Amino acid sequence: MRNLISKMIEATPGLVVADKAMNGVFALQKIPRCNPDIIVLDLEMPEMNGIEFLKERKKQGITIPVIILSSIASRGAEVTMEALSLGASDFIQKPSGSISEDIGTVKENLTGMLLAYGSQYRRSQGKKVLTPAEYPKKEAPPAQDLLSRKPAAAGPVKRIEPLRKPGKIEIIAIGISTGGPDALREVFAHIDADIPQPIVVVQHMPAGFTLEFARSLDRLCPLEVKEAEDGDVIKSGRILIAPGSKHLEVERKSLATIARLSDAPPVSGHRPSADVLFASVALAFQNHAMGVIMTGMGRDGATQLGSILREGGITLGQDEASSIVYGMPRVAYEMGHVMEQVPLKKMAERISSIAKAQR
């Protein structure tokens, strides 16, 4: 597995393997010498496993970001969430073997995360960060540039003309991907406990992990956080997280609004998809909704955030400086679908203030 991951990294422009270690003990010994910008950590290792490594990393004051490689088992999900609570930045599902149908997807997601979190750490240390154009050439360049944080200049933003003025906000929908676990912990730890609107969330995450992720958020959030189940009532004081591999939509009935889950094909390359959630919220609530798009690769959610805006709802986007990957919010902003860009540290406060002002 170490050799497989190393080959993926070495084939990616902008990335170099600083060193490899067979367990946490050797890793701690090597870190001062190789001085990496980011660490890829397995959870199952002899002598010192991933959780023990993270605890020791914290004791030693090591701030280098960590990406977890995790298996799909339910126990793996529980341990992965523990790793995130101990300071790991993000996680990716470990491929089942050296030959796997998912290797291509794993490579794209893993190298994208390494470039994103590693670049952010280098900036925080005052080190130079190369642009994709400055990457040393390699024999096998990737099919696409994953992380140009300085995209080519777009034309003037075309603003959508809403069909109606914003009304009383009755629901808040959030779409988020890479960088999401940390970002949602920041937002939900500081969200006001008395906001009257329910919150529905699409966080790109594999099946088997969202239940534990929701439980981990519930422990730090003043509101109830749970993984959405089909038929769940969407109500004040509750945050519903879309399950991995299931689309989440909202359905308004005469007595209540409920969550609907489906196995429909992926949209924008994802299931759950933020586009699917935003489209259903716009249809059901029109100008009584708030849509928020946050850090993440790609463009999921960018198009249908515009549906919320077009119906007269309010839309926010995370700003570039605080996004691990300024992909989804950048596309939404350039499409003219974001009314206001907000830094992560102020997102909870901004959501809360708008929610209370428009209730």
Side-chain angles (χ1 to χ4, degrees):
M1 185 57 66
R2 287 196 302 280
N3 287 335
L4 175 65
I5 298 302
S6 295
K7 286 177 182 177
M8 291 181 184
I9 292 169
E10 289 290 359
T12 304
L15 295 176
V16 175
V17 176
D19 210 332
K20 293 182 280 187
M22 68 180 293
N23 62 35
V25 173
F26 288 115
L28 289 168
Q29 292 171 357
K30 291 184 174 188
I31 285 170
R33 296 199 299 270
C34 67
N35 194 26
D37 297 309
I38 190 160
I39 297 165
V40 181
L41 182 70
D42 200 343
L43 291 175
E44 297 176 357
M45 299 180 292
E47 194 169 351
M48 178 184 281
N49 65 28
I51 294 298
E52 292 165 343
F53 171 86
L54 287 168
K55 290 177 179 176
E56 190 59 33
R57 164 185 173 268
K58 197 170 185 179
K59 282 182 189 175
Q60 294 188 20
I62 298 171
T63 59
I64 300 163
V66 174
I67 302 296
I68 297 294
L69 278 173
S70 181
S71 64
I72 195 62
S74 59
R75 172 62 183 157
E78 186 179 339
V79 175
T80 299
M81 292 308 131
E82 184 182 358
L84 292 175
S85 72
L86 287 169
S89 296
D90 217 322
F91 77 95
I92 190 166
Q93 213 173 297
K94 184 199 290 188
S96 56
S98 59
I99 300 174
S100 167
E101 294 178 359
D102 298 326
I103 285 295
T105 303
V106 168
K107 178 181 177 182
E108 181 177 330
N109 290 340
L110 177 62
T111 55
M113 284 185 184
L114 296 180
L115 286 165
Y117 287 103
S119 296
Q120 184 189 57
Y121 177 74
R122 285 186 67 84
R123 288 189 186 92
S124 73
Q125 301 300 301
K127 297 178 182 178
K128 176 177 171 59
V129 175
L130 299 179
T131 65
E134 296 174 307
Y135 293 162
K137 299 297 181 186
K138 297 194 177 185
E139 289 183 9
Q144 60 178 340
D145 171 17
L146 289 172
L147 275 179
S148 177
R149 286 184 64 93
K150 296 294 182 184
V157 173
K158 296 179 181 178
R159 298 293 179 190
I160 285 179
E161 191 64 39
L163 298 174
R164 51 188 72 80
K165 292 181 180 179
K168 172 185 173 185
I169 300 297
E170 297 176 0
I171 192 169
I172 299 165
I174 299 175
I176 190 166
S177 185
T178 310
D182 270 346
L184 288 179
R185 277 199 294 270
E186 169 69 26
V187 172
F188 291 155
H190 297 96
I191 200 87
D192 284 5
D194 59 346
I195 68 168
Q197 298 87 352
I199 301 175
V200 284
V201 181
V202 161
Q203 158 73 67
H204 295 158
M205 195 171 278
F209 287 91
T210 42
L211 177 61
E212 286 298 331
F213 181 55
R215 287 173 177 169
S216 71
L217 292 175
D218 186 60
R219 288 191 286 269
L220 58 82
C221 183
L223 305 171
E224 176 198 9
V225 184
K226 75 181 293 286
E227 182 187 57
E229 297 177 77
D230 193 61
D232 266 343
V233 175
I234 295 172
K235 61 182 182 180
S236 179
R238 170 177 279 183
I239 299 171
L240 293 181
I241 309 289
S245 83
K246 297 278 188 182
H247 286 309
L248 171 62
E249 298 178 82
V250 302
E251 181 183 353
R252 292 189 87 171
K253 291 181 169 288
S254 56
L255 297 178
T257 301
I258 60 173
R260 285 297 182 206
L261 304 182
S262 83
D263 295 314
V267 174
S268 304
H270 297 279
R271 188 176 66 206
S273 165
D275 270 325
V276 170
L277 176 62
F278 288 160
S280 76
V281 166
L283 181 65
F285 286 88
Q286 296 185 328
N287 62 330
H288 299 289
M290 183 194 307
V292 184
I293 192 163
M294 297 179 67
T295 177
M297 289 185 213
R299 57 186 301 125
D300 184 35
T303 298
Q304 294 301 334
L305 187 71
S307 296
I308 293 176
L309 181 59
R310 186 174 291 106
E311 292 293 341
I314 292 172
T315 60
L316 304 178
Q318 188 174 346
D319 70 354
E320 179 175 5
S322 67
S323 294
I324 294 296
V325 183
Y326 189 56
M328 288 160 50
R330 173 182 66 82
V331 176
Y333 178 75
E334 290 180 352
M335 292 177 80
H337 297 171
V338 174
M339 296 172 68
E340 180 184 344
Q341 295 197 95
V342 182
L344 177 59
K345 290 291 185 184
K346 295 185 178 179
M347 187 65 80
E349 176 189 344
R350 193 69 186 115
I351 290 173
S352 299
S353 63
I354 293 173
K356 289 181 176 180
Q358 297 287 125
R359 61 182 172 183

